[in-house]
Amino acid sequence: MPTQPTRSLLLAKADDGVASEWTTSPGELHFHDYAFDDYNTEVITLEADYDHRTDIKALDWEETHRQWTGEAWQLDFAALDTTVQHFLDRGYSITIAASDLSIFLSDYDAPFLKRQLPDEAPSNVEDEGGDDEQTDLSAF
């Protein structure tokens, strides 16, 4: 049974700053799958093509603890705000799964990402997460 595409926040550089909108298509870099690693640290998966590895490796390791898992990149969830800025400064289009973004915005100070939110919350976000997930972006 095919799954419905996940709603995500799309961010990209624009002439007047950063353009943002809700989408179901992934950007060049896609953040998703908030989880805990083996050390009980909150992490998020970064899906990116192999040719983006140089810009990924340019992330401050002390802040992001970026690592290759053998299948995808994994970063400290707490560094999402500054990581997104890092990639936007390099001209990438970025998507962040709405359910993961909601958790991040509720738990962390994220001045950059909060300024980028579109005026309206994404449609159907409440239907995507499990019962335990926070997915209400309308509060931001």
Side-chain angles (χ1 to χ4, degrees):
M1 184 165 123
T3 59
Q4 218 177 8
T6 302
R7 290 269 180 210
S8 299
L9 176 64
L10 171 67
L11 300 167
K13 277 288 192 186
D15 293 336
D16 58 347
V18 176
S20 62
E21 66 181 26
W22 297 109
T23 184
T24 55
S25 301
E28 291 174 278
L29 305 174
H30 181 60
F31 292 93
H32 60 94
D33 291 341
Y34 163 80
F36 289 90
D37 68 6
D38 294 339
Y39 302 100
N40 209 28
T41 301
E42 293 175 299
V43 295
I44 192 160
T45 299
L46 168 60
E47 228 175 271
D49 289 338
Y50 181 77
D51 55 336
H52 302 312
R53 73 190 177 288
T54 302
D55 288 328
I56 295 168
K57 289 181 177 183
L59 287 165
D60 178 3
W61 189 88
E62 291 295 322
E63 181 183 359
T64 65
H65 297 104
R66 57 156 168 70
Q67 67 175 350
W68 177 250
T69 66
E71 296 176 14
W73 288 96
Q74 209 172 55
L75 305 148
D76 281 1
F77 194 53
L80 184 61
D81 198 53
T82 56
T83 300
V84 166
Q85 291 177 67
H86 168 89
F87 290 120
L88 285 173
D89 290 345
R90 286 161 175 73
Y92 288 98
S93 67
I94 299 159
T95 49
I96 308 167
S99 57
D100 299 321
L101 180 62
S102 176
I103 294 167
F104 183 77
L105 294 175
S106 345
D107 293 348
Y108 293 94
D109 183 31
F112 178 77
L113 283 172
K114 285 182 180 177
R115 284 193 311 270
Q116 308 315 318
L117 289 175
D119 292 335
E120 294 182 24
S123 60
N124 297 337
V125 158
E126 287 76 16
D127 298 333
E128 293 175 14
D131 293 336
D132 298 338
E133 285 189 77
Q134 295 172 307
T135 55
D136 183 15
L137 290 169
S138 62
F140 304 102

